[in-house]
Amino acid sequence: MADSPTTSGHSEPLAVDISNDAVSERATWSGKLAFVLAGAASAVGLGNLWRYPSLAAKYGGGAFVLTYIILVLILGLTYMITEIGIGRRTKLSGISAFTRMAADTGHKGAGWKAVGLFEIIVPCIIGPYYCVIGGWILKYMVGYALGAADEIAGTSYFTSFITSDSEPVAWTLLFCGITMLVIILGVNQGIEKLNKYAMPALLVLAIAIAVYAIATLPDAGAGVAYFLIPKASDFSVMTVVAAAGQMFYSLSLAMGIMITYGSYMKRSEHLASSAGWICLFDTVIAVLAGLMVVPATYSFGGVEATKQAGAGLMFQTLPQVFDTMPLSSLVGFLYFALVFFAALTSSVSIIEAVVSGIDDASHVGRRKSVRIVGIALIVLALLPTLGYSVLSWVHFPIGSADMTILDFADFISNSVIMPALALVVSILVGWVIKPGYIVEEVEADGTRFALRKVYVFLLKFVVPILLGVVLVSSILNSVGVISI
Ligand code: PFF
C-alpha cells in the first residue's frame, strides 16, 4: 500500500509519473521511516567506510570519535534540519529552492540563483567520480564471489586494474546503469524499495564483519582501545577541524541532497526527529566501520597502516588483511557487498538531486530529465575512469600534489565548493532569510520545536564560524601550507 503509485492527486503517496512528462507531480515518501531510511542511505557511504576510520586513526582515535559525536549533535543536526526545512518548505530541490525562499521573504537579486546553481554543481562533480569508485567496488565484489581473495591481495592487482584501458570503463558503466535503473523506477518504486532492503542488510553486514574481525585477528583489542578510548593528550585543533569537515561530507550536507529529499517529505512528519535519526544512523555506521577497519589494519600494520585513507585502504590494505583471515573470500565478498550497498544508495541520492533539480528548473518533466542526466553521467564518468589510462596525461598540480582527474574532482567539490556553499547558506538562512523560516517549517506538523533557541543560536553563530575555519584550513591543507 505504502508504495502504491497514484497519479490522482489525493493523499496517497505519488510515485513520480514518468509516463506523463508535463504534469508529473512531486513524489512524496510513503512515511517517516521511508524518509529516514532514504536520508540515512544517502549519508552512509564511502565517507563512513573509507574516510572515517582513517581520519579517526590519524587524529587521535577515541579523541576524534568523541569530538565527532559532539559535533554531529550540535552542528550536523542544526545544518541537517536547515537543509531538510528548505526543501520541505519550498517543495523544490537545491537549484530552485533559494529563489523561491528569497521570493517568499521579499528578497531579490541574482545571488540567489547563483547559490542554486552551486547546489547542482556539487552533485554534478561528485556523482560521476563516485560511480567510478562504485565500478571498482563491483569488480572487487564479483572477484571475491569467484574466490579470488589471493589474487586480489596481490600488490599490483589494483593498479593494473585501474590503469587498464577498457575494464574499468565497463565496471563504471555497469554501476552508472544500476544507479540510473533505480532513478528510472522513481522515488517510491526505486529509491524507497532499494533502501528498504539495502539498509538493514548493510547494518547486519557491518556488525557481523566488525565482530568477526575483532574475534579472529591477533592484537585486535589494542586497535579497539585506540579507537574507542579518548585520551586528553590526543586532542588538538586539527581534531576538531578534521572532524567537522568529515561530518559535513558524511551527512551528505551541502550537496543539494537533503534539500531534494526534504522536498519529498510530507508536512505532517516530524522534521527535527527525522533529522536526528539520520544523524544517529550515519554515526553508528561510521563507528561500526571504524570497528571493522581500525582493529584489522592495526593488527596488520599498526597505527600507520590505519592512517592510510581512501582507495589505498579499501582496495589494497584491506584485501591484504582479509587474505590473512580464515574464509577470506567470503569475508571479502561480504565486505564489498556492504560497500556496494552503501555506495549505491549514496550515488542514487546524488543523481536524484540532479534529476530533480533539472526538472524543477526547466520543467522538462522527470522523464526527459532522467534521460539528460543519464547520458551526461555516462560521459562525465568516463573522464575520471580514463584518468588512470588514456587520459593519465591530464593532471592537476595542487600544492605539492599532482592530482588525477578523480582526485581533483574530489578536492574541488569536498575541500572548496562544499564548505564554501555551506558557509554561504548558513549565513543566508541565519541572517538574511532568518531562522524563523525554518523554525516554522519544523513546527508545521503541529508540534513545538523545543530547542528552537538553541537551533537559532547555533545556525547564526556557531555553524558559520566553524565552516569558515573548515574552509580556510582545508584550502591551506591542499596547497601544502598546513597538514591535516
Ligand atoms: N554521505 C556520503 C558518504 O559518506 O559517502 C556522501 C556522498 C558522496 C553522498 C557521494 C552521495 C554521493 F554520491
Side-chain angles (χ1 to χ4, degrees):
M1 178 70 184
D3 284 313
S4 64
T6 93
T7 48
S8 53
H10 49 72
S11 60
E12 287 299 324
L14 289 165
V16 174
D17 178 13
I18 58 167
S19 62
N20 186 348
D21 291 347
V23 292
S24 61
E25 278 188 68
R26 195 161 206 86
T28 57
W29 304 113
S30 60
K32 180 173 171 181
L33 180 66
F35 172 73
V36 171
L37 270 186
S42 168
V44 174
L46 295 175
N48 305 57
L49 299 174
W50 84 16
R51 262 181 112 208
Y52 187 88
S54 47
L55 279 179
K58 202 165 166 189
Y59 289 102
F64 179 90
V65 175
L66 184 65
T67 309
Y68 184 87
I69 291 173
I70 295 171
L71 285 176
V72 169
L73 284 175
I74 301 176
L75 303 177
L77 192 53
T78 303
Y79 198 82
M80 171 85 66
I81 290 174
T82 308
E83 284 208 348
I84 298 173
I86 292 174
R88 196 173 75 170
R89 178 140 190 186
T90 58
K91 288 264 166 281
L92 290 167
S93 49
I95 188 167
S96 312
F98 288 87
T99 18
R100 170 69 59 83
M101 227 173 19
D104 284 352
T105 50
H107 294 92
K108 285 201 190 87
W112 299 97
K113 264 210 172 113
V115 177
L117 206 64
F118 276 101
E119 285 283 351
I120 201 151
I121 286 178
V122 174
C124 286
I125 301 174
I126 298 182
Y129 84 75
Y130 212 76
C131 285
V132 175
I133 303 170
W136 299 350
I137 294 165
L138 269 177
K139 149 101 179 163
Y140 272 57
M141 191 173 94
V142 172
Y144 276 111
L146 298 174
D150 274 352
E151 198 188 325
I152 295 174
T155 42
S156 58
Y157 184 83
F158 180 59
T159 322
S160 44
F161 162 56
I162 60 170
T163 52
S164 76
D165 285 348
S166 54
E167 218 202 328
V169 173
W171 290 106
T172 297
L173 292 181
L174 182 60
F175 192 86
C176 288
I178 300 173
T179 301
M180 289 314 297
L181 188 70
V182 180
I183 300 282
I184 288 168
L185 290 171
V187 172
N188 302 111
Q189 298 297 327
I191 305 178
E192 269 193 42
K193 283 228 166 104
L194 167 71
N195 297 336
K196 203 160 99 186
Y197 297 104
M199 293 311 284
L202 192 145
L203 189 62
V204 171
L205 284 176
I207 295 173
I209 298 172
V211 170
Y212 188 74
I214 294 170
T216 53
L217 287 164
D219 207 23
V224 175
Y226 175 70
F227 181 66
L228 286 185
I229 303 172
K231 279 205 245 94
S233 58
D234 287 336
F235 280 101
S236 73
V237 178
M238 293 323 277
T239 312
V240 180
V241 172
Q246 164 66 9
M247 181 194 74
F248 270 84
Y249 182 82
S250 186
L251 293 175
S252 291
L253 299 174
M255 301 183 184
I257 295 176
M258 291 302 163
I259 299 181
T260 306
Y261 275 16
S263 75
Y264 301 143
M265 187 187 197
K266 288 179 192 148
R267 296 197 92 194
S268 53
E269 312 287 0
H270 200 287
L271 194 156
S273 68
S274 302
W277 280 109
I278 296 173
C279 291
L280 179 73
F281 202 99
D282 187 63
T283 307
V284 166
I285 296 285
V287 173
L288 274 175
L291 283 175
M292 245 168 6
V293 173
V294 175
T297 46
Y298 200 94
S299 115
F300 183 72
V303 79
E304 284 314 312
T306 317
K307 285 180 185 172
Q308 183 193 20
L313 175 75
M314 185 168 282
F315 296 105
Q316 290 171 316
T317 311
L318 279 179
Q320 287 169 16
V321 177
F322 294 150
D323 206 33
T324 66
M325 292 170 138
L327 302 173
S328 53
S329 278
L330 179 66
V331 179
F333 170 72
L334 292 178
Y335 176 78
F336 279 97
L338 170 136
V339 183
F340 170 69
F341 287 136
L344 180 65
T345 51
S346 293
S347 72
V348 163
S349 73
I350 210 149
I351 300 304
E352 177 64 28
V354 184
V355 166
S356 173
I358 291 184
D359 189 15
D360 285 344
S362 64
H363 304 293
V364 289
R366 183 176 170 96
R367 194 178 186 172
K368 220 178 237 164
S369 176
V370 168
R371 249 185 262 143
I372 297 168
V373 174
I375 293 169
L377 176 66
I378 288 172
V379 174
L380 290 176
L382 286 180
L383 299 177
T385 314
L386 297 174
Y388 297 92
S389 51
V390 280
L391 293 180
S392 60
W393 51 272
V394 183
H395 25 88
F396 301 83
I398 304 284
S400 54
D402 205 12
M403 297 186 182
T404 62
I405 301 176
L406 193 151
D407 288 338
F408 182 70
D410 185 56
F411 159 73
I412 201 76
S413 51
N414 295 324
S415 302
V416 184
I417 307 179
M418 278 167 56
L421 183 61
L423 176 63
V424 170
V425 169
S426 63
I427 294 172
L428 284 179
V429 180
W431 295 92
V432 183
I433 299 281
K434 301 279 158 54
Y437 188 85
I438 303 296
V439 171
E440 275 170 32
E441 189 54 40
V442 172
E443 295 183 337
D445 63 340
T447 55
R448 231 183 84 72
F449 187 9
L451 293 174
R452 63 180 292 165
K453 287 211 173 102
V454 182
Y455 167 78
V456 172
F457 173 77
L458 291 171
L459 181 65
K460 288 181 88 151
F461 300 100
V462 187
V463 174
I465 291 173
L466 202 90
L467 278 168
V469 174
V470 170
L471 177 62
V472 172
S473 48
S474 70
I475 292 176
L476 290 181
N477 174 56
S478 314
V479 294
V481 177
I482 57 170
S483 165
I484 297 189

